[in-house]
Amino acid sequence: PCPLLCEAAHCTSGVFVLQIQSCKRERDIHLLELLRRTALHGESNSVLLVGPRGAGKTMLLKSVLKELLKEKDVNKTLMQVHLNGLLQTDDKIALKEITRQLHLENVVGDKVFGSFAENLAFLLEALKKGDRSSSRPVLFLLDEFDLFVHHKNQTLLYNLFDVSQSAQAPIAVVGLTCRLDVLELLEKRVKSRFSHRQIHLLSGATFPDYVQRVQSKLWLPEQFPDQRFAHEWNNSVKVGLRVTVAKPCIKPADVLEASRVCFADAKANMLHGLSILELCLIIAMKHLNDVYEGEPFNLQMVHNEFKKFLQRKSSTIYHFEPAVVMKAFEHLQQLELIRPLDSPGARTQREFQLMRLLLDTSQIMEALQKYPQCPTDVKQWAMSAFA
């Protein structure tokens, strides 16, 4: 039998931490039992699947769900909510998606709730069976879990973990993430409500296995219409996957560069190609977010913030005409670094259309450090606690 390798430790708060690094069979059994207890016995749970991309986190979850849904009682009652940190970029969008996937749009209607917690509690209450005695179990699957950490006050995570801990309704929260330090990103109140169960998946593939998999994805089949092209293509794939005379071995610098490329933030990289004006508008938005705690802004507010900077601190940046500033603002929207709150058909003047920034402070500061020849006063403005 495969041994189950467990590591148990107590974190600083005294909470028992369970980490599982096991063979596939034992991982499947552990996760299956965890979700089965929620589906059949109403026991709430939370767990994180942690591992590098390609380690099999999603495959593990899919295989476990497939096995779980074969059980008759589970298939009839268990409801699933799939969220992705790349798509549900704030709690309002996430709550809308939860409502849609639970098919409760008609139940919510035009009701107004005072808080996220009230809204979530109403949704879970609406899932109760006809006899009002018990709720239907709900499985919340949070892909790219670490991105939900950046939501304002971590409200979504706090409320999901709070429900799972307080047994208000039978729910299981399963997070999938590549970040090993994800628990360190959680606020204290959120961390205290998490079960601290982590299932770590490590890729067991050897380098030849990896090369074979890459080759199989790039390889053209024998049935390809143009045989000559297929032959040349496949030969080029072979050459591309081999070391060369000029580069016969891998050096530490190569590993560091590969790691940098793998973990590079796509949005932060986009900032490197912005003009100084566009970068300054992003910094102005950052300050507005800090001052107004994430409330939406419009072009007029951003331009005013930028003009204050020009008047007080800058001696190297030119003044720009309003039309040029508007053009830069629209370019940021085209790049999807900001998005409007109103529908496309709204008749609000462009200067006063409410927007939301789709970058967090860490992404902006990372981009500033790597921005080519960024003026010193612009960097200081970004790092300043005062707009």
Side-chain angles (χ1 to χ4, degrees):
C2 321
L4 177 64
L5 307 178
C6 295
E7 295 180 3
H10 288 271
C11 63
T12 52
S13 61
V15 180
F16 186 71
V17 181
L18 175 65
Q19 295 183 330
I20 299 171
Q21 298 175 338
S22 66
C23 66
K24 182 178 183 299
R25 176 179 170 76
E26 296 293 350
R27 288 198 307 252
D28 285 7
I29 292 173
H30 181 80
L31 186 58
L32 180 61
E33 284 303 313
L34 202 67
L35 301 184
R36 182 183 280 131
R37 291 203 297 270
T38 300
L40 295 178
H41 307 297
E43 177 185 315
S44 294
N45 287 298
S46 56
V47 62
L48 283 179
L49 305 184
V50 185
R53 297 196 186 280
K57 300 183 294 296
T58 303
M59 186 180 293
L60 167 64
L61 187 58
K62 284 183 176 179
S63 66
V64 166
L65 284 176
K66 185 178 179 181
E67 187 69 26
L68 183 64
L69 292 173
K70 287 179 182 177
E71 301 187 24
K72 186 178 178 182
D73 293 338
V74 173
N75 200 18
K76 286 182 178 179
T77 59
L78 182 65
M79 302 194 73
Q80 298 179 39
V81 175
H82 295 256
L83 302 177
N84 190 304
L86 293 169
L87 302 176
Q88 283 74 51
T89 51
D90 62 42
D91 289 344
K92 186 177 180 181
I93 298 173
L95 196 55
K96 201 172 187 179
E97 184 63 14
I98 291 171
T99 306
R100 186 189 70 80
Q101 292 191 31
L102 294 178
H103 309 293
L104 294 174
E105 298 97 329
N106 294 334
V107 177
V108 173
D110 297 325
K111 291 183 175 65
V112 178
F113 299 93
S115 67
F116 184 96
E118 290 177 11
N119 205 330
L120 181 63
F122 177 83
L123 293 177
L124 295 174
E125 180 73 18
L127 293 176
K128 286 194 172 180
K129 297 175 184 175
D131 58 6
R132 311 290 291 173
S133 61
S134 60
S135 295
R136 293 184 64 179
V138 184
L139 174 59
F140 288 89
L141 307 172
L142 277 58
D143 208 352
E144 304 291 348
F145 176 87
D146 49 287
L147 297 182
F148 289 98
V149 169
H150 300 302
H151 289 197
K152 184 181 177 182
N153 298 329
Q154 299 183 0
T155 306
L156 172 70
L157 298 181
Y158 172 79
N159 282 283
L160 288 179
F161 287 152
D162 188 53
V163 172
S164 69
Q165 188 189 56
S166 59
Q168 300 171 34
I171 74 167
V173 183
V174 181
L176 289 79
T177 180
C178 298
R179 294 196 58 161
L180 296 175
D181 64 341
V182 67
L183 289 185
E184 301 307 314
L185 304 176
L186 297 178
E187 292 180 3
K188 187 176 179 181
R189 66 186 190 127
V190 180
K191 191 186 294 187
S192 67
R193 284 162 173 77
F194 175 52
S195 69
H196 289 265
R197 286 190 185 89
Q198 297 182 64
I199 299 179
H200 286 255
L201 287 82
L202 304 175
S203 178
T206 62
F207 185 71
D209 293 335
Y210 171 75
V211 171
Q212 182 60 38
R213 290 176 188 176
V214 173
Q215 181 173 302
S216 67
K217 296 295 182 185
L218 299 175
W219 207 255
L220 289 177
E222 293 179 1
Q223 300 83 7
F224 192 78
D226 191 333
Q227 289 290 311
R228 182 180 174 184
F229 176 82
H231 179 71
E232 291 178 359
W233 173 271
N234 291 341
N235 282 340
S236 69
V237 169
K238 275 186 181 179
V239 172
L241 294 175
R242 284 203 308 260
V243 293
T244 64
V245 176
K247 203 170 182 67
C249 58
I250 298 174
K251 297 180 179 179
D254 299 327
V255 177
L256 290 174
E257 177 62 17
S259 174
R260 186 190 66 77
V261 171
C262 286
F263 291 101
D265 188 294
K267 283 191 175 178
N269 285 343
M270 288 174 68
L271 296 181
H272 302 162
L274 298 182
S275 66
I276 285 291
L277 171 58
E278 290 165 342
L279 187 64
C280 286
L281 295 183
I282 290 288
I283 296 171
M285 295 171 199
K286 169 192 171 296
H287 282 306
L288 288 172
N289 267 356
D290 292 342
V291 172
Y292 297 108
E293 299 182 342
E295 290 299 313
F297 51 81
N298 58 38
L299 172 58
Q300 193 63 47
M301 295 166 65
V302 174
H303 197 184
N304 290 340
E305 200 70 28
F306 179 43
K307 285 191 289 188
K308 283 193 289 182
F309 164 64
L310 291 175
Q311 293 164 2
R312 292 198 308 250
K313 301 181 181 179
S314 176
S315 58
T316 61
I317 304 245
Y318 299 105
H319 291 262
F320 296 92
E321 293 295 326
V324 177
V325 175
M326 177 174 283
K327 194 70 176 175
F329 193 80
E330 289 174 346
H331 185 228
L332 295 177
Q333 185 179 344
Q334 290 170 359
L335 293 174
E336 297 186 353
L337 298 176
I338 57 175
R339 66 171 176 82
L341 263 64
D342 300 330
S343 61
R347 294 185 177 181
T348 312
Q349 279 185 270
R350 287 186 296 177
E351 296 90 338
F352 303 104
Q353 188 177 22
L354 289 177
M355 296 279 182
R356 196 175 294 279
L357 182 62
L358 300 181
L359 296 161
D360 58 45
T361 300
S362 63
Q363 290 172 312
I364 296 171
M365 299 312 294
E366 179 189 339
L368 276 171
Q369 299 307 316
K370 299 176 182 177
Y371 190 90
Q373 299 178 337
C374 182
T376 304
D377 49 3
V378 172
K379 282 188 179 180
Q380 290 174 344
W381 178 40
M383 291 186 287
S384 170
F386 305 98

